[in-house]
Amino acid sequence: MTARAYEDMDDGDPFTDPIAESVRRLSHAYALCLPPGVHLSRSTAAARYRIPLPTHAFPMRGSPSLPEGERVLIEATMPAPGRAPRGPRVRGHQTLASLEPVTLLDGIPISTPAATWASLADRLGIDALVAVGDAIVRIPRIPGPFGRVLHAPLATFEDLDAVIRAGRRIGIRKLREARTLIRIGSASPQETALRLALTTGTGLPAPALDVDVSSRGEFLGCSEIAYPDHQVAVEYEGDYHRTDRRRWAKDIDKYQAYTAAGWRVVRITAEHLRRPGEPARRVREALRQAGRTL
């Protein structure tokens, strides 16, 4: 997965993805007349769980000249031996019930988060499956000494393992490999892409994720990727960090506090991620400056 694959969500907020918003609206209307036994699945389930996906993961129909929101299809599945559902804005599937367990979300039948992840192996590469897995096992929280966990993850590692063990399916090898790379603590696909860029064949130590940074008892901020033993923080700068004036000012204050406390900050953008080896080069230099032998 590269930053370009997710550049449509470069503001760092997957909830504003217009394609996913269109899917949520369509699926809500479709759910009002959902055929018996049918459940929402695949990209539609991901959109309803607010799991960010790259644009190519959503099926489209119609002229490319039309807006994507008017061409996107919702996906729904009927367990075998039933027939795949059909409709003008529906991409239907049939699968074994054992491969795609179902739950209820807002009263609507939908594939479980873990089953949704597994079903996307037919269209996503390994890195993108890692990003989806990261989103599913993430434990959202408010950082700092008075912070708290906001809610439980969508699924656990055990849930992911269970869908892999459920049986043969398209992309099973990709799922097995992606499962070994999924970690708790990445808050966006871009952060996952950055972590993988730092840990795949680079010789760099594995970083800590979602790290609270403090100095002399004072909470300074939270960094998505860090090497606390060497006081090096790695920050992914989505475009909203630049365009949101309050976010920009807050970042400046945070980085100044980090520097005053002796931390080094490596700031990475989508452009840096597009250059092979660039994020690792920058982090390696910061770690060397901090006294790490590499």
Side-chain angles (χ1 to χ4, degrees):
M1 177 179 61
T2 65
R4 189 177 300 278
Y6 283 101
E7 62 186 0
D8 56 310
M9 296 185 293
D10 189 45
D11 64 356
D13 183 0
F15 305 143
T16 63
D17 177 16
I19 297 177
E21 288 289 354
S22 295
V23 169
R24 283 191 281 272
R25 288 195 299 270
L26 281 171
S27 65
H28 182 74
Y30 181 64
L32 297 177
C33 55
L34 198 67
V38 172
H39 62 272
L40 302 180
S41 61
R42 306 194 188 202
S43 63
T44 299
R48 293 199 67 92
Y49 286 123
R50 296 182 177 266
I51 299 169
L53 295 178
T55 299
H56 75 264
F58 293 96
M60 302 278 179
R61 181 184 296 162
S63 172
S65 62
L66 293 173
E68 292 170 331
E70 295 181 19
R71 295 190 294 123
V72 69
L73 306 178
I74 60 173
E75 296 192 84
T77 296
M78 169 68 86
R83 296 179 61 183
R86 297 179 180 180
R89 296 290 298 271
V90 177
R91 172 70 56 83
H93 304 277
Q94 181 203 62
T95 190
L96 296 175
S98 59
L99 294 182
E100 198 161 291
V102 176
T103 187
L104 293 177
L105 179 65
D106 299 327
I108 300 171
I110 187 172
S111 58
T112 65
T116 299
W117 169 72
S119 69
L120 293 169
D122 67 347
R123 68 196 69 178
L124 297 182
I126 291 171
D127 287 3
L129 286 170
V130 175
V132 172
D134 280 358
I136 286 174
V137 302
R138 178 176 175 249
I139 303 174
R141 70 183 185 96
I142 296 174
F146 303 106
R148 67 183 189 279
V149 172
L150 296 176
H151 58 77
L154 291 172
T156 65
F157 287 112
E158 291 76 16
D159 295 328
L160 300 184
D161 292 338
V163 294
I164 291 175
R165 292 194 305 267
R168 297 182 62 182
R169 67 172 81 229
I170 295 175
I172 188 66
R173 292 183 179 179
K174 288 191 292 183
L175 291 171
R176 288 171 179 154
E177 183 173 348
R179 167 62 183 84
T180 67
L181 299 172
I182 294 169
R183 300 288 183 271
I184 295 173
S186 289
S188 71
Q190 294 85 355
E191 291 180 20
T192 296
L194 176 54
R195 171 171 59 82
L196 293 177
L198 296 178
T199 57
T200 305
T202 64
L204 292 174
L209 306 180
D210 195 23
V211 177
D212 286 352
V213 177
S214 301
S215 178
R216 298 178 181 178
E218 179 184 1
F219 174 67
L220 305 181
C222 181
S223 290
E224 52 261 23
I225 296 176
Y227 299 85
D229 291 344
H230 304 286
Q231 293 187 301
V232 172
V234 186
E235 298 280 341
Y236 180 81
E237 301 284 352
D239 199 46
Y240 83 104
H241 286 263
R242 177 184 61 85
T243 57
D244 187 305
R245 295 176 63 182
R246 292 182 62 186
R247 177 75 261 178
W248 181 250
K250 187 175 180 180
D251 285 345
I252 291 174
D253 292 342
K254 171 182 166 180
Y255 299 150
Q256 184 173 351
Y258 276 25
T259 301
W263 280 67
R264 290 173 171 80
V265 180
V266 181
R267 301 169 71 181
I268 302 293
T269 67
E271 182 60 34
H272 296 142
L273 272 177
R274 294 187 187 107
R275 304 177 197 167
E278 182 63 15
R281 184 192 67 79
R282 290 171 178 257
V283 170
R284 182 178 290 107
E285 180 60 26
L287 289 172
R288 283 174 174 164
Q289 292 176 1
R292 170 85 185 202
T293 301
L294 296 170

